Amino acid sequence: MIEEQQPLPDVPEPDEPYRMPVETMSLRQIDGELRDLFSVAVLYLLVPVFLIAISTTTVVATPFFVRVLPAFALVFVGYWILQRSYASLYRAEPAMAIEYVKWVSWVGGGIMSTPHTRLVALCERRESIKEEKSLES
């Protein structure tokens, strides 16, 4: 016989217990998290590509598959290209990559499960660690 489960209490979970506090993170850990956030933010570029592909093929053809398949193909090709290049983009120009991530986070209210406030705190901590290292040198 199956027993009925008691409903879970309606208590919100504490904010981000699985993440380290920003104040205790090292530069390597901060750069790793920012690089991961940048990879997701770069994929947000595919949304306008998909919308443009859908709107341009709508003018040409009306059947559903003829309209949607080219857009999906563009998105998958774009996804593959962006995933191949995001690490080299971050390594080549980290300041620009971080500014782009901050902009996407601000517009979207966060990136995935990372709130904008955490991202700003990560960027500030990264800058303070960089300044400390440059003063030591």
Side-chain angles (χ1 to χ4, degrees):
M1 185 166 168
I2 299 174
E3 291 183 29
E4 197 171 311
Q5 291 182 344
Q6 295 295 325
L8 295 173
D10 197 19
V11 178
E13 293 184 23
D15 288 340
E16 306 171 4
Y18 56 91
R19 293 186 181 163
M20 291 179 61
V22 175
E23 298 80 27
T24 62
M25 294 175 75
S26 67
L27 182 61
R28 189 175 63 85
Q29 292 168 327
I30 290 172
D31 273 340
E33 188 167 341
L34 287 173
R35 187 173 41 261
D36 292 343
L37 290 171
F38 178 65
S39 69
V40 175
V42 164
L43 293 180
Y44 283 26
L45 289 173
L46 295 177
V47 173
V49 168
F50 181 76
L51 293 175
I52 289 170
I54 285 286
S55 65
T56 56
T57 56
T58 303
V59 174
V60 177
T62 54
F64 178 74
F65 287 114
V66 174
R67 236 183 4 207
V68 175
L69 286 179
F72 278 132
L74 281 173
V75 168
F76 284 123
V77 168
Y79 176 79
W80 182 80
I81 291 169
L82 290 173
Q83 282 295 343
R84 294 285 179 180
S85 64
Y86 88 90
S88 59
L89 288 171
Y90 187 85
R91 266 186 265 119
E93 196 62 42
M96 182 187 70
I98 290 171
E99 287 302 315
Y100 172 72
V101 170
K102 284 177 19 182
W103 182 81
V104 168
S105 177
W106 178 74
V107 168
I111 296 177
M112 302 293 281
S113 64
T114 305
H116 183 67
T117 53
R118 179 174 173 85
L119 180 63
V120 170
L122 283 168
C123 294
E124 289 171 356
R125 175 80 173 140
R126 181 180 187 273
E127 287 302 314
S128 67
I129 291 174
K130 288 263 189 192
E131 288 174 6
E132 289 173 7
K133 285 192 176 197
S134 66
L135 290 176
E136 290 175 359
S137 298

